[in-house]
Amino acid sequence: MPLFTRDFVSCHIKLFESHLYNDPVMLICSHVFCRSCCLELAKMSNNQSIICPICSTRIPFDSLDRFANSLISHGTLATMVKQYLREENNHRMCDSCQNHYISDNNGKLCKKCQIDNENIKKKIMKTIENCEDLITNQKSISLEKIHEQANQLYDIIDQQTRNFCKQIDKYQEELENLLTIQQKANDINALKHQPIDINAISRSIEPRLNALRNSKDFLENINVDKEIKRLNDVADRQLRLLKHKADIIPILSAPMENSSSNIFGELLFKPVEFESKISNSSSDQSMINAYGDTSLQSIPPKLPMWTVIIKALPTHLCIYPVGKSTIIFSCSTNGIISLLTYISPVTYDSPRYIRSFNLFPEQIHIIVQSFTVFNRYMLLHVHQKYDNGSLFFFTHDGILEHGPVQLSNPIRQYLADENRLWAIDSITQTIFYHAQPLFTHEISSILSKRDNFISFDNKSNFIPFRIALNHQLLAILSKDLQQVFIYNKISRERIFTSHFSAGTSMNIWDIGLFPRDNSLLLKFDWSFDGTVKRSLFIHFNTKNQSVGRIEGKYCLGVVIGPNKEILIGFNLRTGIIRCYM
């Protein structure tokens, strides 16, 4: 095998990509990259300097020509690349087992596989000889025995044919029922697929079945069992296809606007100056009351686009857009990170798994209370016994850059937007923010300064519990009052006040803001014996109308994607992330 690993002779100037060195050169910080990669960095620079992707050293230059001349060629590493390529070409793997090298330049198999192939050839030849002996012996069977076996075979054929006819009739009935359901869905434009033509299925199956029924030539019906099984598989496959399409069709009544007051009691979006006029008369109303209120079913369900299984429970979910792709960061309560990526806008294709890693492999008694991702870092807000919590800053590939930072006050949540880190102070009931650090040496000084956005006094009885952000707005969820305040992040003006009444067995547990249209996502949890088993997500537009719902068991983290897709983590004996639109 080669003396050097591919990673050792590869250029890592990009985060998740690498390639073999091509004319390697050394920067003044002693890190090595391709000459073309360095020049590309220099051309993209706006301040006549580049930042080393590994150590973040700033390297100034006067002009591109001088910078190109200042690059020092690394001849030893270039020689290593050539040697690696030679050794890689000389060590070809066996085409069969993929575990051993080929000693013969003209061959394709290793010695072990060659021996195995010879043994297989001998077994084949022996089997052929046994078959020839069997055919010879078969000629000695009496004609009466042949007729007896033929009659038995005819009986089996007739029985299987009758059974298959019954099965075809059953499939025909089920297909027609499913087609009726699909036709109802097509009438309200809930599905864009073309319906399956059952007559076409019948036309393809019935002639072949009739041919088998009417055929009297014994030799033609020798393989009738296989033919019947094949036709059975065709009908079953078509049935499963139509069932799959029917499963994703919401069976709804005719489209109609349904006021959220019929579902949640009184849900009010009022300007601040009219806040005093809000009535509390709806406190006795609930989402689904004991009298069989089914108005929830009139809210159109959001459809699942894809589901993916991951190694750890997705307690916290964050996304980070990179061009046309979106990276999913999933974090468990003990700090296990799973990275996945999908293409926007969302399709039915499942996301591509990148990798997983444990940020705290040697620590057991930790709890990740909140988790957020921004430009260069992952921020983990970690709780241990008898402390106010600590902050850890990791790079996106899991390298600890700074921390732990001990907190003086307990913090309920950290959340990042485009350029700020937002948080909730549990003692002073204050929403505050920091600037986002761009470099590691800036973290301590930035965390030492904080700007208060808004504070709530004891008279208001408003205890901030969760926050949500988009480009323009900040939404704050109250812990006990089940209220939502929405503010303009620039002017700090309160734009809306939302009151909810969700009944005694249900609480609002989380909140989200959709990008661009500023609509609202609320997560309601049902509590049974102190355990949350079922959750309901309701999507409200800015006109105070419920426009979508998602129901699920054992829901964990939730995040809204750049194209209004909703990603939800589940604990279904294993970690699951599901995307809804």
Side-chain angles (χ1 to χ4, degrees):
M1 60 182 297
L3 294 176
F4 317 106
T5 64
R6 186 178 184 87
D7 189 67
F8 182 78
V9 293
S10 296
C11 177
H12 297 276
I13 198 165
K14 295 182 179 179
L15 180 59
F16 294 112
E17 300 179 11
S18 64
H19 57 272
L20 292 177
Y21 284 116
N22 181 16
D23 189 8
V25 295
M26 182 186 297
L27 299 178
I28 60 175
C29 60
S30 300
H31 290 115
V32 181
F33 304 100
C34 300
R35 182 181 295 274
S36 59
C37 294
C38 294
L39 293 177
E40 183 178 353
L41 275 181
K43 291 178 181 178
M44 295 171 58
S45 174
N46 296 325
N47 56 359
Q48 291 190 333
S49 65
I50 65 170
I51 303 297
C52 176
I54 296 179
C55 66
S56 301
T57 300
R58 182 175 178 273
I59 303 172
F61 58 86
D62 296 334
S63 64
L64 286 176
D65 293 336
R66 290 190 178 183
F67 175 73
N69 294 332
S70 66
L71 297 176
I72 305 172
S73 297
H74 201 301
T76 303
L77 197 54
T79 304
M80 290 180 178
V81 174
K82 294 179 181 178
Q83 184 176 354
Y84 172 82
L85 291 174
R86 285 197 302 271
E87 293 180 353
E88 188 181 54
N89 293 331
N90 292 335
H91 292 78
R92 294 182 295 127
M93 301 299 293
C94 173
D95 288 350
S96 178
C97 65
Q98 296 292 323
N99 291 325
H100 302 93
Y101 292 105
I102 302 172
S103 57
D104 185 4
N105 293 332
N106 296 324
K108 295 184 178 179
L109 303 176
C110 62
K111 291 183 178 180
K112 182 178 181 301
C113 291
Q114 289 177 355
I115 296 173
D116 292 342
N117 280 0
E118 291 296 329
N119 293 333
I120 293 173
K121 289 180 181 179
K122 291 178 182 179
K123 291 181 180 179
I124 292 174
M125 295 303 298
K126 186 175 180 180
T127 303
I128 292 175
E129 293 175 358
N130 293 336
C131 290
E132 291 176 349
D133 295 340
L134 184 62
I135 293 173
T136 303
N137 296 332
Q138 194 73 14
K139 294 179 180 179
S140 62
I141 299 177
S142 63
L143 185 60
E144 290 80 6
K145 191 172 183 179
I146 292 177
H147 283 301
E148 181 182 354
Q149 292 177 347
N151 291 332
Q152 293 177 356
L153 185 58
Y154 276 125
D155 292 338
I156 294 173
I157 291 172
D158 291 339
Q159 182 63 37
Q160 291 183 343
T161 301
R162 288 193 295 271
N163 293 339
F164 183 69
C165 291
K166 293 179 181 178
Q167 195 70 18
I168 285 291
D169 294 337
K170 179 181 177 181
Y171 286 151
Q172 185 93 13
E173 182 180 355
E174 292 185 7
L175 288 169
E176 289 175 353
N177 291 337
L178 289 172
L179 185 59
T180 302
I181 296 174
Q182 184 178 6
Q183 186 60 44
K184 292 179 180 178
N186 287 337
D187 292 340
I188 61 173
N189 294 323
L191 187 67
K192 300 301 181 183
H193 299 286
Q194 292 295 328
I196 294 177
D197 188 356
I198 296 177
N199 294 327
I201 300 173
S202 301
R203 287 196 299 269
S204 66
I205 293 178
E206 290 176 357
R208 302 181 67 85
L209 183 61
N210 293 332
L212 293 173
R213 287 172 177 166
N214 300 329
S215 179
K216 297 181 179 180
D217 192 331
F218 171 73
L219 294 179
E220 291 183 2
N221 286 275
I222 281 292
N223 295 322
V224 69
D225 183 62
K226 294 182 179 178
E227 185 70 9
I228 290 176
K229 185 177 183 302
R230 191 191 69 80
L231 294 176
N232 185 37
D233 291 340
V234 171
D236 187 57
R237 187 164 56 251
Q238 296 292 346
L239 178 63
R240 289 198 310 271
L241 175 62
L242 189 51
K243 279 186 175 181
H244 169 71
K245 289 187 176 183
D247 287 342
I248 65 174
I249 303 172
I251 306 303
L252 304 175
S253 58
M256 58 180 293
E257 291 189 358
N258 187 24
S259 174
S260 58
S261 61
N262 296 330
I263 303 167
F264 292 96
E266 185 178 11
L267 172 61
L268 301 176
F269 285 79
K270 297 290 185 180
V272 178
E273 54 269 28
F274 297 107
E275 183 177 355
S276 60
K277 299 181 181 180
I278 295 175
S279 171
N280 296 323
S281 61
S282 62
S283 60
D284 58 342
Q285 295 175 322
S286 62
M287 180 179 296
I288 300 179
N289 57 41
Y291 301 100
D293 180 12
T294 58
S295 59
L296 178 64
Q297 300 303 319
S298 64
I299 307 176
K302 291 186 178 291
L303 303 180
M305 302 296 291
W306 48 255
T307 301
V308 64
I309 299 175
I310 59 176
K311 295 182 178 180
L313 297 181
T315 308
H316 308 279
L317 290 177
C318 288
I319 58 168
Y320 189 74
V322 180
K324 294 183 178 180
S325 301
T326 301
I327 300 177
I328 305 173
F329 289 79
S330 170
C331 179
S332 67
T333 53
N334 55 352
I336 298 178
I337 303 295
S338 298
L339 300 180
L340 306 96
T341 181
Y342 65 94
I343 303 297
S344 297
V346 176
T347 64
Y348 286 101
D349 296 331
S350 297
R352 180 176 63 86
Y353 172 79
I354 300 176
R355 65 190 182 105
S356 297
F357 46 85
N358 191 347
L359 299 179
F360 306 101
E362 299 179 358
Q363 300 187 41
I364 301 176
H365 303 292
I366 66 165
I367 297 176
V368 178
Q369 180 166 332
S370 60
F371 170 76
T372 190
V373 178
F374 54 99
N375 49 38
R376 290 186 57 197
Y377 302 106
M378 298 183 294
L379 172 61
L380 278 82
H381 175 209
V382 174
H383 260 289
Q384 293 178 313
K385 291 184 177 180
Y386 313 116
D387 67 356
N388 290 329
S390 305
L391 299 182
F392 292 85
F393 289 80
F394 291 86
T395 62
H396 288 183
D397 51 358
I399 299 174
L400 179 61
E401 289 286 320
H402 191 80
V405 179
Q406 300 295 330
L407 298 174
S408 58
N409 282 359
I411 302 299
R412 185 166 283 118
Q413 181 189 4
Y414 272 94
L415 192 61
D417 62 5
E418 295 82 0
N419 49 23
R420 292 175 177 175
L421 291 176
W422 297 78
I424 305 173
D425 190 322
S426 301
I427 300 297
T428 62
Q429 310 304 337
T430 299
I431 310 298
F432 66 93
Y433 60 86
H434 304 288
Q436 288 183 7
L438 298 178
F439 302 100
T440 304
H441 66 271
E442 299 176 345
I443 295 177
S444 296
S445 60
I446 286 178
L447 293 181
S448 64
K449 304 174 183 178
R450 80 180 200 182
D451 293 313
N452 291 340
F453 184 83
I454 189 170
S455 297
F456 299 93
D457 54 24
N458 295 330
K459 295 180 181 179
S460 66
N461 292 325
F462 189 94
I463 301 176
F465 179 64
R466 300 287 292 177
I467 58 175
L469 302 163
N470 65 11
H471 184 67
Q472 298 173 333
L473 303 180
L474 164 68
I476 308 173
L477 172 65
S478 170
K479 181 179 180 181
D480 299 323
L481 299 180
Q482 301 288 281
Q483 291 180 321
V484 175
F485 290 170
I486 301 179
Y487 292 85
N488 186 306
K489 290 195 298 186
I490 304 301
S491 65
R492 305 194 182 193
E493 177 188 2
R494 189 193 302 177
I495 301 175
F496 293 113
T497 299
S498 309
H499 294 256
F500 298 89
S501 177
T504 57
S505 63
M506 183 182 300
N507 290 311
I508 307 175
W509 187 252
D510 208 348
I511 185 173
L513 278 173
F514 285 86
R516 294 186 293 275
D517 67 354
N518 299 329
S519 54
L520 194 64
L521 179 70
L522 294 180
K523 178 190 178 189
F524 294 83
D525 286 342
W526 278 278
S527 298
F528 301 96
D529 300 328
T531 303
V532 176
K533 295 183 179 180
R534 293 192 63 85
S535 298
L536 173 67
F537 298 84
I538 300 291
H539 179 192
F540 294 97
N541 62 16
T542 54
K543 296 181 180 180
N544 193 21
Q545 297 169 340
S546 51
V547 295
R549 64 180 169 93
I550 302 170
E551 296 182 71
K553 294 183 178 180
Y554 305 106
C555 301
L556 299 175
V558 59
V559 67
I560 300 174
N563 289 283
K564 300 180 68 174
E565 64 271 21
I566 302 173
L567 308 180
I568 302 176
F570 295 88
N571 176 11
L572 302 178
R573 297 185 179 180
T574 184
I576 286 179
I577 301 175
R578 187 166 292 156
C579 176
Y580 294 87
M581 286 294 288

